[in-house]
Amino acid sequence: MKHLKPVLIIFSIFISIIFIVPTLLVLPFSSEKETANLDEKLKNPPSVEELANSVEVAVYRSNQDLIEKLPLEQYVVGVVAGEMPADFEKEALKAQALAARTYIVNQLLLEDSTVPKGADVTDTVSHQVYKNQKELAGLWGADYDWKIKKISDAVLETMGQVLTYDGKPITAAFFSTSNGYTENSEAYWPNEYPYLRSVESPWDSASPRFEDQKVIPIKEFEQKLGVTLPKDGSVGTITSRTEGKRVASVEINGKGFSGREIREKLELRSSDFTWYLKDDHIVIATKGYGHGVGMSQYGANGMAKEGKDYQDIVTHYYKGVKITESDKLLQKVTAQR
Protein backbone atom coordinates (compact mmCIF):
# COMPACT_ATOMS: atom_id res chain seq x y z
CA MET A 1 0.00 0.00 0.00
CA LYS A 2 2.84 2.40 0.92
CA HIS A 3 4.22 1.99 -2.59
CA LEU A 4 0.87 2.88 -4.09
CA LYS A 5 0.52 6.24 -2.30
CA PRO A 6 3.08 8.14 -4.43
CA VAL A 7 1.42 6.75 -7.54
CA LEU A 8 -2.02 7.85 -6.37
CA ILE A 9 -0.71 11.31 -5.52
CA ILE A 10 0.89 11.73 -8.92
CA PHE A 11 -2.28 10.48 -10.65
CA SER A 12 -4.42 12.92 -8.65
CA ILE A 13 -2.17 15.82 -9.57
CA PHE A 14 -2.33 14.83 -13.27
CA ILE A 15 -6.14 14.68 -13.22
CA SER A 16 -6.27 18.09 -11.53
CA ILE A 17 -4.07 19.62 -14.21
CA ILE A 18 -6.33 18.25 -16.97
CA PHE A 19 -9.37 20.03 -15.49
CA ILE A 20 -7.75 23.20 -14.09
CA VAL A 21 -5.54 24.31 -17.03
CA PRO A 22 -8.38 24.70 -19.64
CA THR A 23 -10.30 26.70 -17.07
CA LEU A 24 -7.33 29.00 -16.52
CA LEU A 25 -7.00 29.48 -20.28
CA VAL A 26 -10.68 30.38 -20.71
CA LEU A 27 -11.07 32.62 -17.65
CA PRO A 28 -9.06 35.60 -19.01
CA PHE A 29 -11.51 35.77 -22.06
CA SER A 30 -14.66 35.21 -19.99
CA SER A 31 -16.88 38.02 -18.89
CA GLU A 32 -20.32 38.28 -17.53
CA LYS A 33 -21.05 40.89 -20.21
CA GLU A 34 -20.35 40.33 -23.96
CA THR A 35 -19.13 43.53 -25.59
CA ALA A 36 -19.74 42.58 -29.28
CA ASN A 37 -20.73 39.67 -31.48
CA LEU A 38 -19.84 38.92 -35.11
CA ASP A 39 -22.95 39.90 -37.03
CA GLU A 40 -24.27 37.89 -39.95
CA LYS A 41 -26.38 39.72 -42.51
CA LEU A 42 -26.31 37.93 -45.83
CA LYS A 43 -27.19 40.13 -48.79
CA ASN A 44 -29.88 38.81 -51.08
CA PRO A 45 -29.19 39.21 -54.79
CA PRO A 46 -31.01 42.25 -56.23
CA SER A 47 -34.54 41.56 -57.47
CA VAL A 48 -35.52 41.94 -61.12
CA GLU A 49 -37.44 45.10 -60.17
CA GLU A 50 -34.41 46.59 -58.39
CA LEU A 51 -32.15 45.77 -61.35
CA ALA A 52 -34.64 47.20 -63.85
CA ASN A 53 -34.89 50.44 -61.88
CA SER A 54 -31.13 50.69 -61.48
CA VAL A 55 -30.37 50.23 -65.19
CA GLU A 56 -30.63 53.56 -67.00
CA VAL A 57 -31.40 54.02 -70.69
CA ALA A 58 -29.95 57.03 -72.50
CA VAL A 59 -32.31 58.00 -75.34
CA TYR A 60 -31.24 60.41 -78.06
CA ARG A 61 -34.19 62.76 -78.66
CA SER A 62 -33.84 63.47 -82.34
CA ASN A 63 -36.06 66.56 -82.53
CA GLN A 64 -34.47 68.30 -79.53
CA ASP A 65 -30.90 67.09 -80.20
CA LEU A 66 -30.40 66.03 -76.58
CA ILE A 67 -30.09 62.86 -74.51
CA GLU A 68 -32.82 61.88 -72.05
CA LYS A 69 -31.92 59.37 -69.31
CA LEU A 70 -34.51 57.29 -67.49
CA PRO A 71 -35.02 53.88 -65.79
CA LEU A 72 -35.42 50.90 -68.13
CA GLU A 73 -39.05 50.06 -67.29
CA GLN A 74 -40.09 53.70 -67.65
CA TYR A 75 -38.44 53.66 -71.07
CA VAL A 76 -40.46 50.56 -72.03
CA VAL A 77 -43.68 52.39 -71.10
CA GLY A 78 -42.69 55.23 -73.46
CA VAL A 79 -41.93 52.78 -76.28
CA VAL A 80 -45.19 50.85 -75.98
CA ALA A 81 -47.05 54.17 -75.94
CA GLY A 82 -45.14 55.32 -79.03
CA GLU A 83 -45.39 52.08 -80.98
CA MET A 84 -48.88 50.65 -80.31
CA PRO A 85 -52.34 52.25 -79.92
CA ALA A 86 -53.43 52.31 -76.26
CA ASP A 87 -56.90 51.08 -77.21
CA PHE A 88 -55.45 47.74 -78.32
CA GLU A 89 -56.21 44.70 -76.17
CA LYS A 90 -54.15 44.51 -72.98
CA GLU A 91 -52.57 41.16 -73.94
CA ALA A 92 -51.37 42.72 -77.20
CA LEU A 93 -49.88 45.61 -75.22
CA LYS A 94 -48.13 43.10 -72.95
CA ALA A 95 -46.69 41.32 -76.01
CA GLN A 96 -45.46 44.69 -77.27
CA ALA A 97 -43.90 45.44 -73.86
CA LEU A 98 -42.06 42.13 -73.99
CA ALA A 99 -40.75 42.85 -77.50
CA ALA A 100 -39.73 46.42 -76.55
CA ARG A 101 -37.93 45.31 -73.38
CA THR A 102 -36.12 42.52 -75.23
CA TYR A 103 -35.03 44.99 -77.89
CA ILE A 104 -33.54 47.48 -75.42
CA VAL A 105 -31.83 44.84 -73.25
CA ASN A 106 -30.21 43.44 -76.39
CA GLN A 107 -29.26 46.97 -77.48
CA LEU A 108 -27.64 47.71 -74.11
CA LEU A 109 -25.46 44.61 -74.47
CA LEU A 110 -24.21 45.71 -77.91
CA GLU A 111 -21.91 48.48 -79.08
CA ASP A 112 -23.95 50.47 -81.57
CA SER A 113 -21.83 52.91 -83.54
CA THR A 114 -24.91 54.40 -85.26
CA VAL A 115 -26.18 56.20 -82.14
CA PRO A 116 -24.84 59.61 -81.03
CA LYS A 117 -22.11 59.64 -78.38
CA GLY A 118 -23.50 59.12 -74.89
CA ALA A 119 -26.74 57.53 -76.09
CA ASP A 120 -27.84 53.90 -76.05
CA VAL A 121 -30.68 54.25 -78.53
CA THR A 122 -32.58 56.84 -80.59
CA ASP A 123 -36.30 57.64 -80.38
CA THR A 124 -37.01 56.90 -84.05
CA VAL A 125 -38.03 53.87 -86.11
CA SER A 126 -34.32 53.22 -86.64
CA HIS A 127 -34.50 51.73 -83.14
CA GLN A 128 -37.81 52.14 -81.27
CA VAL A 129 -40.19 55.08 -81.21
CA TYR A 130 -40.18 56.59 -77.70
CA LYS A 131 -42.33 59.36 -76.19
CA ASN A 132 -42.06 60.71 -72.67
CA GLN A 133 -44.91 61.51 -70.28
CA LYS A 134 -45.10 65.18 -71.25
CA GLU A 135 -45.33 64.37 -74.97
CA LEU A 136 -47.98 61.73 -74.35
CA ALA A 137 -50.06 64.12 -72.24
CA GLY A 138 -50.02 66.57 -75.14
CA LEU A 139 -50.96 63.88 -77.67
CA TRP A 140 -53.69 62.19 -75.64
CA GLY A 141 -55.24 65.16 -73.89
CA ALA A 142 -58.29 64.11 -71.85
CA ASP A 143 -57.54 60.41 -72.53
CA TYR A 144 -54.10 60.57 -70.94
CA ASP A 145 -54.99 59.09 -67.53
CA TRP A 146 -56.65 55.88 -68.73
CA LYS A 147 -54.21 55.35 -71.58
CA ILE A 148 -51.06 55.72 -69.50
CA LYS A 149 -52.51 53.50 -66.76
CA LYS A 150 -53.42 50.76 -69.22
CA ILE A 151 -49.97 50.78 -70.83
CA SER A 152 -48.15 51.06 -67.49
CA ASP A 153 -50.11 48.07 -66.16
CA ALA A 154 -49.19 46.03 -69.23
CA VAL A 155 -45.50 46.86 -68.70
CA LEU A 156 -45.70 46.16 -64.96
CA GLU A 157 -47.34 42.75 -65.50
CA THR A 158 -44.44 41.67 -67.73
CA MET A 159 -41.71 43.40 -65.70
CA GLY A 160 -38.27 41.87 -66.08
CA GLN A 161 -39.31 39.41 -68.79
CA VAL A 162 -37.44 39.14 -72.09
CA LEU A 163 -37.51 36.81 -75.08
CA THR A 164 -34.49 34.57 -75.52
CA TYR A 165 -33.28 31.96 -77.98
CA ASP A 166 -30.44 29.68 -76.84
CA GLY A 167 -30.14 31.84 -73.74
CA LYS A 168 -29.58 35.12 -75.62
CA PRO A 169 -32.04 37.99 -76.15
CA ILE A 170 -33.56 37.90 -79.61
CA THR A 171 -33.82 40.58 -82.25
CA ALA A 172 -37.46 41.28 -81.40
CA ALA A 173 -38.58 42.78 -84.71
CA PHE A 174 -42.17 43.96 -85.05
CA PHE A 175 -44.26 45.89 -87.57
CA SER A 176 -47.79 47.17 -88.07
CA THR A 177 -49.74 44.89 -90.43
CA SER A 178 -48.97 41.79 -92.46
CA ASN A 179 -50.40 40.70 -95.78
CA GLY A 180 -51.67 37.54 -94.09
CA TYR A 181 -48.17 36.14 -93.51
CA THR A 182 -45.04 37.32 -91.76
CA GLU A 183 -41.69 37.17 -93.51
CA ASN A 184 -38.48 35.17 -93.06
CA SER A 185 -35.79 37.56 -91.83
CA GLU A 186 -33.40 36.82 -94.71
CA ALA A 187 -36.08 37.75 -97.25
CA TYR A 188 -35.80 41.38 -96.12
CA TRP A 189 -32.53 41.62 -94.18
CA PRO A 190 -29.10 40.03 -94.78
CA ASN A 191 -29.20 37.80 -91.67
CA GLU A 192 -31.18 34.61 -91.18
CA TYR A 193 -32.60 34.17 -87.67
CA PRO A 194 -34.14 30.81 -86.71
CA TYR A 195 -36.87 32.49 -84.65
CA LEU A 196 -37.90 35.00 -87.35
CA ARG A 197 -39.75 32.61 -89.64
CA SER A 198 -42.75 33.16 -91.87
CA VAL A 199 -46.03 32.32 -90.11
CA GLU A 200 -49.66 32.83 -90.99
CA SER A 201 -51.30 35.96 -89.63
CA PRO A 202 -54.93 35.98 -90.80
CA TRP A 203 -56.07 38.52 -88.16
CA ASP A 204 -54.43 41.37 -90.10
CA SER A 205 -57.21 41.53 -92.67
CA ALA A 206 -59.18 43.52 -90.06
CA SER A 207 -56.47 46.20 -89.92
CA PRO A 208 -57.29 49.59 -91.46
CA ARG A 209 -53.80 49.39 -92.97
CA PHE A 210 -54.29 46.02 -94.65
CA GLU A 211 -54.77 47.43 -98.17
CA ASP A 212 -53.54 50.62 -99.78
CA GLN A 213 -53.36 52.23 -103.20
CA LYS A 214 -50.88 54.75 -104.52
CA VAL A 215 -51.02 56.56 -107.87
CA ILE A 216 -47.73 57.80 -109.37
CA PRO A 217 -47.22 59.70 -112.64
CA ILE A 218 -45.25 57.63 -115.17
CA LYS A 219 -42.45 60.20 -115.28
CA GLU A 220 -42.01 60.04 -111.48
CA PHE A 221 -42.16 56.22 -111.57
CA GLU A 222 -39.43 56.08 -114.21
CA GLN A 223 -37.28 58.67 -112.49
CA LYS A 224 -37.38 57.01 -109.06
CA LEU A 225 -36.55 53.57 -110.47
CA GLY A 226 -34.16 54.73 -113.16
CA VAL A 227 -36.07 52.93 -115.92
CA THR A 228 -37.88 53.72 -119.12
CA LEU A 229 -41.14 51.87 -119.74
CA PRO A 230 -41.35 50.23 -123.18
CA LYS A 231 -43.70 51.58 -125.85
CA ASP A 232 -45.71 48.34 -125.97
CA GLY A 233 -47.57 49.28 -122.77
CA SER A 234 -45.95 46.63 -120.54
CA VAL A 235 -45.02 47.71 -117.01
CA GLY A 236 -42.79 44.90 -115.79
CA THR A 237 -42.97 41.33 -114.48
CA ILE A 238 -42.86 39.87 -110.97
CA THR A 239 -40.35 37.04 -111.33
CA SER A 240 -40.40 35.55 -107.79
CA ARG A 241 -42.14 35.83 -104.43
CA THR A 242 -40.96 35.16 -100.90
CA GLU A 243 -42.31 32.56 -98.49
CA GLY A 244 -44.30 35.40 -96.93
CA LYS A 245 -46.05 36.03 -100.29
CA ARG A 246 -44.28 39.34 -100.91
CA VAL A 247 -42.41 40.29 -104.06
CA ALA A 248 -38.89 38.89 -104.04
CA SER A 249 -37.85 40.15 -107.48
CA VAL A 250 -39.32 42.11 -110.36
CA GLU A 251 -38.05 43.00 -113.82
CA ILE A 252 -38.89 46.24 -115.62
CA ASN A 253 -37.77 46.58 -119.22
CA GLY A 254 -34.69 44.42 -118.65
CA LYS A 255 -33.73 45.91 -115.28
CA GLY A 256 -34.04 43.81 -112.13
CA PHE A 257 -35.07 44.92 -108.63
CA SER A 258 -35.73 43.28 -105.30
CA GLY A 259 -39.12 43.80 -103.71
CA ARG A 260 -37.49 45.77 -100.90
CA GLU A 261 -35.80 48.10 -103.42
CA ILE A 262 -39.11 48.84 -105.11
CA ARG A 263 -40.81 49.44 -101.76
CA GLU A 264 -38.14 51.88 -100.60
CA LYS A 265 -37.67 53.73 -103.89
CA LEU A 266 -41.41 54.22 -104.41
CA GLU A 267 -42.13 54.67 -100.67
CA LEU A 268 -44.73 51.92 -100.56
CA ARG A 269 -46.32 50.56 -97.39
CA SER A 270 -45.34 46.99 -98.17
CA SER A 271 -43.29 44.83 -100.52
CA ASP A 272 -46.44 42.86 -101.40
CA PHE A 273 -47.45 44.96 -104.38
CA THR A 274 -48.80 44.90 -107.89
CA TRP A 275 -49.48 47.72 -110.35
CA TYR A 276 -51.05 48.62 -113.64
CA LEU A 277 -50.92 51.43 -116.16
CA LYS A 278 -53.82 53.87 -116.36
CA ASP A 279 -53.52 56.79 -118.74
CA ASP A 280 -50.24 58.49 -117.78
CA HIS A 281 -50.11 57.07 -114.24
CA ILE A 282 -49.04 53.86 -112.51
CA VAL A 283 -51.64 52.62 -110.00
CA ILE A 284 -49.95 50.55 -107.25
CA ALA A 285 -51.90 48.32 -104.86
CA THR A 286 -50.21 47.03 -101.69
CA LYS A 287 -51.15 44.62 -98.90
CA GLY A 288 -49.82 45.08 -95.38
CA TYR A 289 -47.81 47.82 -93.71
CA GLY A 290 -44.16 47.44 -92.72
CA HIS A 291 -41.25 45.10 -93.39
CA GLY A 292 -43.23 42.02 -92.36
CA VAL A 293 -40.57 40.45 -90.10
CA GLY A 294 -41.41 39.34 -86.55
CA MET A 295 -44.58 40.27 -84.67
CA SER A 296 -47.49 41.88 -86.47
CA GLN A 297 -49.07 44.41 -84.11
CA TYR A 298 -52.54 44.18 -85.63
CA GLY A 299 -52.13 40.41 -85.72
CA ALA A 300 -51.27 40.46 -82.02
CA ASN A 301 -54.40 42.49 -81.32
CA GLY A 302 -56.49 40.06 -83.35
CA MET A 303 -55.11 37.11 -81.39
CA ALA A 304 -55.85 38.90 -78.10
CA LYS A 305 -59.44 39.53 -79.20
CA GLU A 306 -59.79 35.77 -79.69
CA GLY A 307 -58.71 35.19 -76.07
CA LYS A 308 -55.01 34.46 -76.59
CA ASP A 309 -52.62 35.76 -73.94
CA TYR A 310 -49.31 37.51 -74.49
CA GLN A 311 -47.35 34.25 -74.16
CA ASP A 312 -49.45 32.74 -76.98
CA ILE A 313 -48.86 35.83 -79.11
CA VAL A 314 -45.08 36.05 -78.79
CA THR A 315 -44.51 32.32 -79.24
CA HIS A 316 -46.63 32.40 -82.41
CA TYR A 317 -44.64 35.20 -84.03
CA TYR A 318 -41.19 34.31 -82.65
CA LYS A 319 -40.56 30.60 -83.20
CA GLY A 320 -38.77 28.52 -80.55
CA VAL A 321 -38.23 31.38 -78.09
CA LYS A 322 -38.50 31.32 -74.29
CA ILE A 323 -39.81 33.96 -71.92
CA THR A 324 -36.94 34.50 -69.48
CA GLU A 325 -36.27 36.66 -66.42
CA SER A 326 -33.82 39.40 -67.34
CA ASP A 327 -31.87 39.57 -64.04
CA LYS A 328 -28.71 37.87 -65.31
CA LEU A 329 -28.72 39.92 -68.50
CA LEU A 330 -29.23 43.16 -66.55
CA GLN A 331 -26.38 42.22 -64.20
CA LYS A 332 -24.23 41.82 -67.30
CA VAL A 333 -25.32 45.26 -68.52
CA THR A 334 -24.44 46.77 -65.13
CA ALA A 335 -21.03 45.04 -65.13
CA GLN A 336 -20.22 46.45 -68.59
CA ARG A 337 -20.81 50.03 -67.46
Side-chain angles (χ1 to χ4, degrees):
M1 284 295 287
K2 287 182 180 180
H3 294 293
L4 289 173
K5 281 184 179 180
V7 175
L8 288 170
I9 291 168
I10 292 169
F11 182 73
S12 299
I13 293 169
F14 179 72
I15 292 297
S16 298
I17 290 170
I18 288 173
F19 285 100
I20 291 170
V21 170
T23 305
L24 291 171
L25 290 171
V26 170
L27 279 173
F29 300 98
S30 298
S31 171
E32 290 182 6
K33 205 177 221 184
E34 295 176 349
T35 57
N37 288 320
L38 177 64
D39 288 336
E40 184 170 331
K41 291 181 181 178
L42 300 179
K43 289 184 179 181
N44 292 321
S47 66
V48 171
E49 183 176 354
E50 288 170 335
L51 278 167
N53 288 325
S54 68
V55 172
E56 199 173 57
V57 179
V59 189
Y60 176 70
R61 307 311 311 275
S62 51
N63 288 336
Q64 299 98 319
D65 190 26
L66 55 82
I67 292 174
E68 181 180 337
K69 295 182 178 181
L70 68 163
L72 187 146
E73 292 296 326
Q74 191 178 327
Y75 166 77
V76 175
V77 170
V79 172
V80 176
E83 290 281 7
M84 181 175 273
D87 58 1
F88 270 26
E89 298 292 317
K90 191 174 183 182
E91 292 302 310
L93 291 167
K94 287 161 75 171
Q96 182 67 60
L98 197 51
R101 187 181 299 105
T102 302
Y103 185 96
I104 190 59
V105 170
N106 192 37
Q107 181 75 5
L108 292 173
L109 289 167
L110 301 173
E111 288 188 11
D112 189 344
S113 60
T114 67
V115 297
K117 187 178 180 180
D120 299 311
V121 69
T122 70
D123 62 356
T124 71
V125 292
S126 297
H127 294 96
Q128 298 188 116
V129 174
Y130 162 80
K131 297 189 181 298
N132 63 27
Q133 305 280 320
K134 185 178 179 181
E135 291 166 325
L136 293 171
L139 283 170
W140 291 339
D143 292 325
Y144 174 80
D145 287 342
W146 73 262
K147 285 186 174 183
I148 198 65
K149 183 180 186 308
K150 186 177 180 182
I151 289 173
S152 297
D153 286 348
V155 172
L156 182 64
E157 290 171 28
T158 63
M159 178 178 278
Q161 296 179 357
V162 293
L163 296 165
T164 61
Y165 188 91
D166 283 347
K168 297 178 182 178
I170 69 167
T171 299
F174 55 86
F175 63 99
S176 170
T177 304
S178 82
N179 62 345
Y181 298 85
T182 67
E183 192 65 277
N184 289 337
S185 58
E186 68 275 13
Y188 200 79
W189 296 322
N191 296 329
E192 178 179 339
Y193 296 100
Y195 48 83
L196 295 177
R197 300 294 87 200
S198 177
V199 298
E200 290 188 26
S201 190
W203 309 277
D204 300 66
S205 59
S207 168
R209 297 176 168 184
F210 184 65
E211 292 182 321
D212 187 51
Q213 182 173 283
K214 186 171 187 175
V215 180
I216 303 177
I218 289 176
K219 291 292 184 184
E220 183 182 338
F221 179 87
E222 292 178 324
Q223 182 183 11
K224 286 186 172 181
L225 296 181
V227 298
T228 301
L229 293 180
K231 301 297 184 184
D232 60 7
S234 62
V235 289
T237 304
I238 293 171
T239 53
S240 63
R241 285 191 177 266
T242 66
E243 193 172 335
K245 317 299 181 187
R246 292 163 181 78
V247 174
S249 58
V250 60
E251 189 175 293
I252 305 169
N253 198 17
K255 187 174 181 178
F257 300 88
S258 69
R260 177 175 179 171
E261 285 178 306
I262 294 289
R263 182 197 171 204
E264 292 176 349
K265 288 177 183 294
L266 298 182
E267 299 175 319
L268 305 179
R269 288 188 169 191
S270 165
S271 54
D272 181 0
F273 54 77
T274 186
W275 61 63
Y276 61 89
L277 179 65
K278 185 176 182 181
D279 300 327
D280 56 350
H281 289 78
I282 301 292
V283 181
I284 308 170
T286 57
K287 277 188 179 180
Y289 195 123
H291 51 64
V293 181
M295 183 181 74
S296 162
Q297 293 171 317
Y298 273 91
N301 198 46
M303 289 184 72
K305 285 181 176 180
E306 290 185 358
K308 303 296 185 184
D309 62 24
Y310 76 99
Q311 293 100 327
D312 297 324
I313 294 169
V314 296
T315 52
H316 173 74
Y317 286 108
Y318 304 111
K319 308 310 293 182
V321 300
K322 291 183 179 179
I323 299 173
T324 309
E325 291 296 333
S326 63
D327 51 346
K328 290 182 179 177
L329 294 169
L330 291 177
Q331 285 171 359
K332 191 174 179 182
V333 169
T334 303
Q336 286 182 188
R337 296 189 164 192

